[in-house]
């Protein structure tokens, strides 16, 4: 195996043993990127020279033997809506094409303090709005398992970069499924932490009450390692929670005997493709063999989750995106035609179609006369959905379901039909509405060899339980070890 094919924990061991240098890891990744980036379009920007320089710094530390963390010298990718000081942070939008933030996102700062190297910024749907990465101003990312198929979205580039071995692991963000759905489509592990677990400072906001940053990795141990680095209270984000962060790797015991797993009836409805249902049901059988005890749970408001999400997330987006007016950030057009025209032209030319659709919808549901009918009602339904989970968790320790109703669909298949596109997040959105942590892990393949993901959902701040269950599952299966042909 070449260095770029290994996991964080495998590389950390080799680095410590002196078998490998960080410079060799970066070089190996750069070779791989050279080979496949044309096909996958995983990255919006790459920092080759800086990465090599930082790798030399890490190698010097290893020589001295001090200041070592499991992330020292490990090259990562981050979704291009996380601010990295001095580097463009585009949100895959024309309006921020040239925006260079003067500070680092807290999650990035923490990774760097632990010695990680940021190798590049990953492709995504514009402002994280989308389920296929087709809404990127920089072109769609392609699924390494089949280049005709989508990566999923919105963290599509973060997923394809990991799946195609173009980085060792990455960060994505999840507002309605954007870490878990692309992880499932690309056959990797991806976790949305509990809302408040990871600071959102320096994450360009889409829907502030839903957005969370999380790891996208080749296996569960790597997710635990990244969680250790990025989690915890941050004075710069008032919604970050003051909840103790224990070592997430210490819970990976392989033992899930007696773990009660809830199986929600509503998540096995008609929308689920037979191939996907089969893989997920086999996954549940595997968990049973390992000692988990399935119990039936009910999430009766599931049908309302998608409409509720689109009202709340679009309302928040319309407010968050009001700041892009040609004055404060990025792109400006129509200067010579007066202030009003400048605003209009900047936004008309700077935003893509999907972003405009969300701004219009959001402005509508917040406007007087419709506020009570739509926005307030959506907030009430959000509470009902949250209560569904509270009730379900009376009977179980974790809930298991599919991540998405289908495997990765074909590029172009759903672009003309936004409602169909929105339904790809039907099983992931409820956890954002209720702030719960959830992980996607590889659990099989469809008949045409596209990955399928199993979702494990936990109680608030109980990432430990879902990591333990996911890890036990992974130990007894080999889906996460399979590689797409283009990387072999
Ligand atoms: N696909 C969903 C949307 O388009 C979720 C996006 C996300 O999680 N960022 O809004």
């Amino acid at each position: 195996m070449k260095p770029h094919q290994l996991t964080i924990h495998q590389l950390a061991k080799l680095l410590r043993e002196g078998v490998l240098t960080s410079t060799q890891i970066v070089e190996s990744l750069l070779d791989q990127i050279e080979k496949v980036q044309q096909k996958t379009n995983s990255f919006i920007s790459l920092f080759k020279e800086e990465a090599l320089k930082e790798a030399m710094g890490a190698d010097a530390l290893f020589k001295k033997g001090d200041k070592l963390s499991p992330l020292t010298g490990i090259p990562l990718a981050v979704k291009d809506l996380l601010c990295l000081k001095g580097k463009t942070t585009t949100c895959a939008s024309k309006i921020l094409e040239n925006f260079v933030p003067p500070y680092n996102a807290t999650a990035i700062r923490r990774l760097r303090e632990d010695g990680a190297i940021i190798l590049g910024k990953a492709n995504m749907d514009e402002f994280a709005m989308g389920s296929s990465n087709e809404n990127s101003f920089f072109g769609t990312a392609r699924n390494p398992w089949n280049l005709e198929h989508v990566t999923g979205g919105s963290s599509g580039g973060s997923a394809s970069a990991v799946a195609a071995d173009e980085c060792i692991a990455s960060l994505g963000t999840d507002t309605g499924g954007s870490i878990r759905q692309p992880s499932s489509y690309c056959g990797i592990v991806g976790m949305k932490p509990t809302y408040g677990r990871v600071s959102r400072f320096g994450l360009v906001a889409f829907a502030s009450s839903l957005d969370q940053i999380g790891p996208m990795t080749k296996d569960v141990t790597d997710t635990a390692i990244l969680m250790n680095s990025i989690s915890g209270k941050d004075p710069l984000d008032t919604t970050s929670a003051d909840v103790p962060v224990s070592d997430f790797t210490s819970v990976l015991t392989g033992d899930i005997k007696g773990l009660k797993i809830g199986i929600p009836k509503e998540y096995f409805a008609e929308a689920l493709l037979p191939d996907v249902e089969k893989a997920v049901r086999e996954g549940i059988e595997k968990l049973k063999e390992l000692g988990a005890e399935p119990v039936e749970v009910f999430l009766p408001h599931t049908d309302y989750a998608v409409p509720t999400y689109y009202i709340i997330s679009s309302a928040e987006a319309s407010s968050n995106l009001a700041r892009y007016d040609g004055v404060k950030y990025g792109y400006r057009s129509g200067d010579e035609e007066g202030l009003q025209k400048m605003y209009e032209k900047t936004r008309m030319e700077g935003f893509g179609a999907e972003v405009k659709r969300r701004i219009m919808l959001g402005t509508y549901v917040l406007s007087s006369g419709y506020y009570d009918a739509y926005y307030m009602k959506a907030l009430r339904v959000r509470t009902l959905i949250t209560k569904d989970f509270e009730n379900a968790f009376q009977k179980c320790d974790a809930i298991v379901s599919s991540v998405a109703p289908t495997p990765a669909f074909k590029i172009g298949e759903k672009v003309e039909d936004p409602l169909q596109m929105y339904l790809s997040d039907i099983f992931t959105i409820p956890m954002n509405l209720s702030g719960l942590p959830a992980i996607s892990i590889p659990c099989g393949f469809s008949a045409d060899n596209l990955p399928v993901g199993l979702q494990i959902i936990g109680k608030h701040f109980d990432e430990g339980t879902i990591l333990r269950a996911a890890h036990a599952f992974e130990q007894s299966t080999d889906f996460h070890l399979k590689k797409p042909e283009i990387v072999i």
Side-chain angles (χ1 to χ4, degrees):
M1 290 256 254
K2 303 236 180 72
H4 65 266
Q5 297 172 311
L6 301 175
T7 61
I8 297 176
H9 57 97
Q10 288 166 336
L11 290 169
K13 185 161 172 283
L14 297 174
L15 284 168
R16 259 155 210 72
E17 290 168 356
V19 179
L20 200 66
T21 64
S22 175
T23 306
Q24 287 169 324
I25 304 173
V26 173
E27 282 169 349
S28 175
L29 284 165
L30 291 177
D31 281 351
Q32 176 68 358
I33 290 170
E34 183 77 20
K35 265 193 230 143
V36 301
Q37 159 70 13
Q38 287 274 5
K39 297 181 187 152
T40 60
N41 197 21
S42 299
F43 286 99
I44 290 177
S45 49
L46 278 165
F47 317 123
K48 298 184 188 174
E49 267 126 57
E50 286 97 327
L52 284 166
K53 217 167 111 203
E54 285 176 35
M56 277 167 61
D59 289 334
L61 288 181
F62 279 112
K63 276 220 177 90
K64 278 204 286 176
D66 58 14
K67 266 202 168 171
L68 302 177
S69 102
L71 287 170
T72 309
I74 305 288
L76 307 174
V78 294
K79 188 174 179 177
D80 201 18
L81 48 42
L82 294 171
C83 288
L84 176 58
K85 188 175 170 179
K87 298 288 178 199
T88 50
T89 295
T90 68
C91 280
S93 180
K94 179 173 173 165
I95 214 157
L96 286 180
E97 193 181 2
N98 300 315
F99 169 62
V100 179
Y103 54 83
N104 283 320
T106 297
I108 291 191
R109 178 177 58 74
R110 287 182 169 160
L111 290 176
R112 292 180 68 143
E113 282 169 4
D114 282 337
I117 297 169
I118 309 299
L119 183 59
K121 304 200 74 187
N123 205 346
M124 55 181 281
D125 283 299
E126 185 179 4
F127 282 101
M129 298 173 189
S131 308
S132 66
N133 214 123
E134 290 167 290
N135 298 334
S136 169
F137 179 63
F138 300 95
T140 184
R142 290 170 177 273
N143 193 316
W145 288 91
N146 183 333
L147 297 168
E148 306 281 291
H149 287 247
V150 301
T151 51
S154 62
S155 314
S158 299
S160 56
V162 174
D165 289 334
E166 295 176 88
C167 63
I168 306 304
S170 65
L171 289 187
T173 63
D174 193 311
T175 306
S178 282
I179 288 176
R180 291 160 287 158
Q181 185 251 26
S183 295
S184 125
Y185 283 9
C186 292
I188 64 166
V189 175
M191 182 156 96
K192 179 194 98 68
T194 310
Y195 184 81
R197 182 60 106 178
V198 179
S199 166
R200 291 181 297 110
F201 178 76
L203 148 65
V204 179
F206 160 15
S208 313
S209 77
L210 301 158
D211 298 339
Q212 258 299 281
I213 300 170
M216 301 171 75
T217 62
K218 295 178 189 173
D219 69 9
V220 175
T221 305
D222 280 5
T223 285
I225 292 171
L226 287 182
M227 282 298 293
N228 281 348
S229 177
I230 64 176
S231 302
K233 175 78 184 155
D234 174 18
L236 297 174
D237 172 7
T238 50
T239 63
S240 74
D242 201 359
V243 174
V245 180
S246 53
D247 176 4
F248 290 110
T249 60
S250 70
V251 299
L252 309 180
T253 56
D255 179 11
I256 56 164
K257 276 193 199 72
L259 185 82
K260 291 213 162 49
I261 51 169
I263 314 297
K265 199 173 116 247
E266 295 81 359
Y267 283 39
F268 290 87
E270 316 94 70
L272 202 55
L273 214 76
D275 275 8
V276 174
E277 174 160 1
K278 183 166 174 281
V280 171
R281 290 215 187 266
E282 283 168 8
I284 293 170
E285 280 310 306
K286 177 55 81 185
L287 290 168
K288 252 166 76 178
E289 271 169 39
L290 294 167
E293 295 167 15
V295 291
E296 193 174 32
V297 294
F298 299 96
L299 300 168
H301 294 94
T302 299
D303 277 353
Y304 303 104
V306 171
T308 302
Y309 167 84
Y310 277 93
I311 291 172
I312 293 174
S313 65
S314 302
E316 293 184 20
S318 73
S319 161
N320 276 326
L321 271 58
R323 73 190 71 173
Y324 306 106
D325 57 4
V327 178
K328 303 180 202 72
Y329 308 89
Y331 183 73
R332 175 190 290 199
S333 174
D335 234 353
E336 58 297 329
E337 296 170 61
L339 185 65
Q340 189 59 34
K341 263 273 168 276
M342 188 277 283
Y343 287 156
E344 281 171 23
K345 276 192 125 173
T346 296
R347 289 169 69 83
M348 185 177 73
E349 293 165 17
F351 289 132
E354 183 61 26
V355 174
K356 286 180 191 154
R357 187 179 294 130
R358 309 275 180 119
I359 293 174
M360 284 196 292
L361 180 63
T363 310
Y364 180 78
V365 300
L366 287 177
S367 56
S368 79
Y370 295 106
Y371 183 88
D372 285 338
Y374 294 106
Y375 184 66
M376 280 308 287
K377 196 180 259 175
L379 290 185
R380 289 198 193 101
V381 180
R382 181 178 192 171
T383 304
L384 293 175
I385 290 170
T386 307
K387 288 216 170 108
D388 279 357
F389 282 106
E390 276 166 21
N391 292 337
F393 278 123
Q394 302 280 332
K395 294 210 289 188
C396 62
D397 308 302
I399 295 175
V400 179
S401 77
S402 174
V403 175
T406 68
F409 44 90
K410 275 214 162 109
I411 292 174
E413 193 179 313
K414 298 191 183 180
V415 270
E416 298 303 330
D417 190 349
L419 290 183
Q420 268 307 313
M421 187 76 91
Y422 295 173
L423 286 176
S424 24
D425 296 312
I426 185 166
F427 304 136
T428 48
I429 276 174
M431 296 89 231
N432 298 78
L433 289 171
S434 43
L436 297 167
I439 195 167
S440 168
I441 49 170
C443 76
F445 290 87
S446 67
D448 43 5
N449 202 35
L450 289 164
V452 176
L454 184 77
Q455 177 167 237
I456 309 177
I457 305 149
K459 298 177 186 170
H460 287 119
F461 297 102
D462 192 15
E463 285 87 356
T465 296
I466 56 182
L467 285 167
R468 177 161 60 92
H471 176 255
F473 180 86
E474 188 180 84
Q475 294 293 296
S476 58
T477 54
D478 63 358
F479 304 114
H480 65 292
L481 299 175
K482 303 239 156 63
K483 298 264 185 195
E485 242 166 59
I486 65 161
V487 311
I488 302 169

